């Protein structure tokens, strides 16, 4: 077992039964002209975590952890998009509409693709999801159980929406989750910090949190 110096206490995991779960690192959320920007957000806070996410994925591949990317994207007919989700916000350009990066959050469109720096590699798993949480209406739970994965190292965007939803879903299903907090980000930094505190509160009621440096140190020490 590998032990990471985490909050609220050390997080232990077996690499053979652990996956890095990278949430929604897509152009629609991280690039100008994408859905995040159309909502009026400054995308720069999200772009800043890309180097850390690259490092986390490289560590996972080097040390034999599974790598799973989630992608929030709907089919072109929006059959998997509840009308309430599409209507939310009364947006001039919302889900399914034509935007600068193609139809917003529609599978196969440029904006729904992963950013160039974090494209999946051979052997990685991609899970397309229609909601915020990665377990809702997806095969993620079956994939994890089939592979014997019990621990998740989680990063991605945004911390308070899709990342937090996924952490809570995973926790309810019995997975131990470590939020690698400098590999996650929000358009609103105070939301990010609040979620980190929510995760580790009350003895880790949702999970654990640690910086990338602690994960890296633990993995490298195990191979020293």
């Amino acid at each position: 077992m590998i032990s990471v110096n985490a909050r609220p206490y050390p997080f232990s995991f077996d690499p053979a039964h652990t996956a890095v779960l990278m949430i929604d690192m897509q152009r629609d959320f991280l690039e100008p002209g994408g859905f995040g920007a159309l909502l009026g957000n400054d995308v720069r806070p999200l772009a800043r975590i890309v180097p850390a996410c690259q490092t986390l994925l490289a560590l996972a591949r080097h040390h034999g952890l599974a790598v799973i990317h989630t992608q929030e994207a709907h089919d072109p007919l929006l059959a998997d998009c509840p009308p309430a989700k599409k209507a939310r916000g009364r947006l001039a350009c919302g889900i399914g509409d034509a935007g600068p990066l193609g139809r917003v959050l529609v599978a196969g469109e440029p904006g729904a693709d992963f950013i160039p720096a974090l494209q999946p590699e051979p052997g990685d798993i991609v899970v397309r999801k229609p909601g915020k949480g990665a377990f809702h209406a997806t095969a993620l739970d079956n994939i994890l159980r089939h592979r014997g994965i019990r621990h998740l190292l989680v990063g991605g965007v945004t911390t308070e929406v899709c990342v937090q939803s996924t952490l809570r879903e995973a926790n309810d299903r019995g997975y131990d989750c470590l939020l690698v907090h400098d590999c996650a980000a929000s358009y609103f930094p105070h939301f990010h910090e609040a979620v980190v505190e929510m995760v580790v509160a009350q003895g880790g009621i949702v999970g654990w949190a640690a910086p990338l440096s602690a994960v890296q140190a633990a993995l490298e020490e195990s191979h020293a």
Side-chain angles (χ1 to χ4, degrees):
M1 297 290 284
I2 293 174
S3 181
V4 177
N5 183 16
R7 298 174 60 204
Y9 54 86
F11 177 83
S12 297
F13 68 95
D14 177 352
H17 298 284
T18 303
V20 166
L21 186 59
M22 190 61 63
I23 307 292
D24 299 357
M25 295 297 284
Q26 299 163 235
R27 297 183 64 196
D28 258 332
F29 298 124
L30 279 90
E31 292 187 2
F35 188 43
L38 293 173
L39 290 170
N41 298 305
D42 179 359
V43 299
R44 288 175 295 181
L46 274 57
R48 292 188 191 113
I49 68 168
V50 170
C53 292
Q54 289 178 298
T55 298
L56 179 60
L57 293 178
L59 285 168
R61 294 173 181 128
H62 179 72
H63 292 281
L65 282 68
V67 173
I68 303 174
H69 308 259
T70 73
Q71 177 189 40
E72 184 176 353
H74 298 281
D75 72 59
L77 297 178
L78 302 186
D80 56 357
C81 181
K85 181 180 181 182
K86 178 169 172 52
R88 191 71 50 81
R90 300 178 179 179
L91 304 173
C93 184
I95 295 171
D97 297 330
L101 299 181
R103 293 182 66 201
V104 174
L105 291 184
V106 170
E109 296 288 331
D113 194 10
F114 299 100
I115 62 170
L118 293 173
Q119 287 286 320
E121 295 188 2
D124 293 358
I125 298 167
V126 176
V127 175
R128 180 162 71 86
K129 61 186 183 69
K132 273 70 171 180
F135 289 85
H136 170 66
T138 75
L140 179 58
D141 192 43
N142 289 334
I143 291 169
L144 297 176
R145 295 188 187 282
H146 177 72
R147 289 174 167 253
I149 291 169
R150 299 187 293 270
H151 297 81
L152 300 173
L153 310 183
V154 182
V157 299
T158 60
T159 314
E160 78 279 11
V161 183
C162 295
V163 173
Q164 180 176 209
S165 294
T166 298
L167 286 167
R168 292 181 180 276
E169 289 181 332
N171 180 65
D172 283 347
R173 287 165 173 78
Y175 297 98
D176 286 338
C177 300
L178 175 71
L179 173 59
V180 186
H181 56 70
D182 45 355
C183 290
S186 169
Y187 302 116
F188 312 99
H190 58 293
F191 286 179
H192 172 85
E193 298 300 329
V195 170
V196 174
E197 296 307 313
M198 291 178 199
V199 167
V200 304
Q202 302 177 79
I205 195 167
V206 175
W208 289 256
L212 174 63
S213 60
V215 176
Q216 186 166 10
L219 287 167
E220 291 177 350
E221 182 179 344
S222 71
H223 284 72

